[in-house]
Amino acid sequence: MGKPTGFLEYDRSDNTVCAPSERINNFDEFKQQLNEEERRRQGARCMNCGVPFCQSAIRFNGRLIGCPLHNLIPEWNDEVYNGNYSHALDRLLKTNNFPEFTGRVCPALCERACINGKYDSPVTVHENELFIIEKAFEEGLVKARIPAIRSGKRVAVVGSGPAGLACADQLNHRGHSITVYEKSDRAGGLLMYGIPNMKLEKSVIERRIKLMEQEGVKFVCNTAVAQTPADDANVSETAVISAAELMNKYDAVVLCCGAEVPRKLEAWEELKTKQKDISGVYYAMDYLKAETKHLLDGIPEISAKGLNVVVVGAGDTANDCIATAVRQKAASVTQLIRRSEGGKRKLTWPDYDESEGLGYGQEEAISVYGKDIRVFETGVKSIVTDDKSKLKEIQTVGLKRKDGAYTEIAGSEQLIPADLLIVASGFSGCDEAVINAFAGEKSEDEVFFEKLSSEHKTKVQGLFIAGDMRIGASLVVRAIAEGRDCASQVDEYLVGYRVMERL
């Protein structure tokens, strides 16, 4: 503990954030680092607790508290305060493969568990983490670590999101030869095409991919596994490799395909059975990916310019869609949220309210349109199109929650103008076509893998599964933890004994 009285002497100071009126003019990251002197003071606020809940990853009142990666937070906070940045980097990379990702997009479960937060403000753990890794890149401390010896074992990782990258990185440093297959044109998965540039600049991802390639990981993009172009319009120009070929070619295969199947909007699905070629309605990932492709390659975007936009959903993805629409100069944005607004609750540490506060996109929309864009306890009852099947209006309906389910309120229907509807209602799971291709013939009651099990191995010899594909849609930090944990099991399977730690 570098400064025992630091938490008493220094107040919390966060990274500066560009004003909404300024940041909506581009898709650049809008948070700026504190100077080095102030960052060291923030490191000094860490109390080096006897029981550091920040790295515990325990469940409290049904919510996860503390870091799923069990980051050695007090240790590297101490090194930040003392200016020992190389030591801080060593401790950080001990548990986290990609702090430049989590330092930007993690909701900081560690800070919710910080004991400083019981009586004062928690330590700026999230931003200290980002400072360490960016300082390390700036000073050339991050270098390619090429394994001196190769095991002769070959592993295929399907999917290059955070789980796939973490698994590949861990196994590569154990000396196994790793090939990562990605159906998109760029590696990164959700990081590349699911998170907008203003939250995570794509150059940050490309920097890490380049480093992993230098260390020996091979990336094969534009290659879908066990899919045909007819199965998915997004892979119409994508090569296909079969599950059988992968299983024959590699000693182990790890599926990290994510949980990208969107939760369906019933009103839209019902309308599609009656009308074809409906324009103006998109699922969130299609909308966000199109914007990123526009920024990177100049491909035409799904533009909200001058349109009345309606976003359905209340999570981070909905917020990202709102922020994107604002930057595209939408005429208006309305957000439909099923849950009630909720009042201020008096919470006892370490409990927290997940719905409390405005997201960055909501803040930006309020600054542009002069009002809160959120409409609570409301859903979409039907979609109205014109005679050319173009979106015209949305009929909303009031919702009431009872016994864990939402029911419609009779007589509450309203029509609102809408030129663009973006559905960001979450994800229902992974692409079953991939699972079925690897599972082969199975009876109806046979379970291919157990989502709630701690095991990543499946019933197919040499086949493993990790990330959102296994646990359902979750956080980037949990996906990295999944990838690391899976790598330990794969390595044990390959060499016959356990060396790598389980989480």
Side-chain angles (χ1 to χ4, degrees):
M1 190 173 183
K3 193 170 181 59
T5 58
F7 69 99
L8 297 172
E9 296 179 30
Y10 305 127
D11 293 329
R12 178 183 172 106
S13 182
D14 294 292
N15 284 345
T16 57
V17 179
C18 296
S21 59
E22 178 183 345
R23 67 190 193 229
I24 62 173
N25 294 315
N26 55 63
F27 283 82
D28 298 337
E29 287 187 8
F30 53 83
K31 293 184 178 180
Q32 291 136 11
Q33 294 268 3
L34 297 176
N35 61 56
E36 188 172 329
E37 182 180 356
E38 181 57 41
R39 181 54 59 203
R40 291 179 63 177
R41 281 196 287 266
Q42 294 307 302
R45 295 188 69 240
C46 183
M47 300 168 66
N48 193 18
C49 307
V51 180
F53 293 104
C54 58
Q55 61 189 54
S56 61
I58 59 174
R59 289 203 170 272
F60 183 85
N61 282 353
R63 287 186 284 270
L64 191 64
I65 303 288
C67 180
L69 287 168
H70 305 296
N71 280 337
L72 306 175
I73 294 166
E75 295 185 30
W76 43 257
N77 272 330
D78 176 54
E79 300 294 359
V80 167
Y81 167 68
N82 287 292
N84 297 326
Y85 303 133
S86 62
H87 293 310
L89 178 67
D90 288 341
R91 305 316 292 159
L92 179 57
L93 295 181
K94 176 77 174 173
T95 57
N96 190 349
N97 302 70
F98 315 120
E100 67 270 34
F101 302 157
T102 54
R104 287 174 165 87
V105 301
C106 184
L109 303 177
C110 50
E111 294 187 17
R112 290 169 178 169
C114 176
I115 291 180
N116 260 329
K118 182 173 175 63
Y119 300 106
D120 196 358
S121 299
V123 174
T124 57
V125 179
H126 185 240
E127 294 176 355
N128 291 359
E129 174 183 39
L130 182 59
F131 169 81
I132 294 169
I133 188 63
E134 289 302 328
K135 185 73 172 177
F137 272 110
E138 178 186 327
E139 296 188 352
L141 298 176
V142 180
K143 299 177 181 179
R145 296 178 295 133
I146 303 172
I149 300 175
R150 290 291 177 181
S151 68
K153 301 292 185 180
R154 306 175 70 195
V155 180
V157 176
V158 182
S160 64
L165 292 179
C167 186
D169 193 47
Q170 290 289 98
L171 291 172
N172 180 61
H173 286 123
R174 276 287 290 150
H176 308 307
S177 297
I178 312 300
T179 301
V180 179
Y181 290 89
E182 170 57 50
K183 70 177 182 179
S184 294
D185 61 335
R186 289 179 173 86
L190 172 76
L191 300 166
M192 178 61 71
Y193 286 127
I195 300 175
N197 199 72
M198 53 273 197
K199 284 175 64 176
L200 176 60
E201 287 193 354
K202 305 314 163 189
S203 59
V204 174
I205 305 166
E206 291 167 344
R207 178 179 65 185
R208 177 58 67 171
I209 298 298
K210 182 178 180 181
L211 181 64
M212 291 179 66
E213 288 177 327
Q214 292 172 351
E215 294 174 336
V217 178
K218 181 181 179 182
F219 290 89
V220 180
C221 294
N222 287 314
T223 302
V225 175
Q227 289 179 304
T228 64
D231 292 330
D232 187 346
N234 293 325
V235 295
S236 58
E237 298 181 359
T238 302
V240 176
I241 185 170
S242 70
E245 183 178 350
L246 282 178
M247 296 302 295
N248 290 331
K249 188 176 180 180
Y250 295 93
D251 298 291
V253 175
V254 184
L255 302 181
C256 301
C257 303
E260 63 183 8
V261 178
R263 188 174 290 124
K264 305 299 183 183
L265 180 66
E266 291 184 9
W268 185 22
E269 297 301 323
E270 181 180 342
L271 183 62
K272 286 194 294 184
T273 64
K274 304 173 183 177
Q275 291 181 227
K276 293 184 178 180
D277 302 322
I278 302 168
S279 62
V281 186
Y282 300 92
Y283 282 111
M285 286 298 104
D286 296 327
Y287 176 62
L288 294 175
K289 181 175 181 178
E291 181 55 43
T292 298
K293 290 285 290 179
H294 174 69
L295 291 173
L296 295 176
D297 301 325
I299 294 174
E301 61 189 347
I302 300 172
S303 179
K305 185 175 182 180
L307 303 182
N308 296 309
V309 178
V310 176
V311 177
V312 179
D316 289 339
T317 301
N319 217 12
D320 293 338
C321 292
I322 292 167
T324 299
V326 170
R327 281 164 176 74
Q328 292 178 341
K329 311 302 181 186
S332 69
V333 177
T334 303
Q335 182 181 13
L336 304 183
I337 301 173
R338 289 190 306 173
R339 63 171 172 80
S340 60
E341 183 173 4
K344 291 282 185 179
R345 295 194 296 131
K346 187 174 182 179
L347 301 174
T348 302
W349 177 91
D351 204 358
Y352 62 93
D353 188 346
E354 291 178 298
S355 63
E356 192 174 11
L358 292 169
Y360 78 105
Q362 294 160 337
E363 289 178 344
E364 293 166 357
I366 290 172
S367 73
V368 172
Y369 307 114
K371 63 178 182 179
D372 194 337
I373 64 167
R374 299 173 296 173
V375 181
F376 294 94
E377 298 181 305
T378 304
V380 176
K381 186 175 181 65
S382 64
I383 295 172
V384 182
T385 60
D386 61 18
D387 55 4
K388 296 182 180 179
S389 294
K390 180 176 174 57
L391 178 65
K392 180 181 178 182
E393 293 175 318
I394 291 174
Q395 185 183 46
T396 65
V397 63
L399 300 174
K400 185 176 182 180
R401 184 178 174 87
K402 185 178 181 180
D403 298 329
Y406 289 95
T407 57
E408 296 182 357
I409 301 173
S412 63
E413 294 84 358
Q414 292 185 9
L415 284 174
I416 61 173
D419 306 301
L420 178 61
L421 172 62
I422 303 169
V423 183
S425 301
F427 305 91
S428 61
C430 59
D431 185 354
E432 291 188 0
V434 176
I435 289 181
N436 292 336
F438 282 93
E441 296 295 328
K442 62 181 187 300
S443 61
E444 291 184 2
D445 61 348
E446 184 178 1
V447 179
F448 176 50
F449 66 93
E450 289 281 0
K451 282 191 174 183
L452 299 180
S453 169
S454 63
E455 298 300 311
H456 294 269
K457 62 183 179 181
T458 70
K459 294 194 173 186
V460 178
Q461 184 75 8
L463 182 64
F464 299 79
I465 190 167
D468 288 1
M469 190 174 183
R470 191 181 79 96
I471 62 174
S474 189
L475 307 172
V476 169
V477 67
R478 286 196 68 194
I480 295 174
E482 274 280 302
R484 290 174 62 92
D485 195 45
C486 182
S488 173
Q489 293 189 33
V490 174
D491 182 64
E492 183 178 3
Y493 168 77
L494 293 174
V495 301
Y497 56 90
R498 179 175 299 175
V499 174
M500 303 170 70
E501 295 179 357
R502 291 288 310 275
L503 291 178

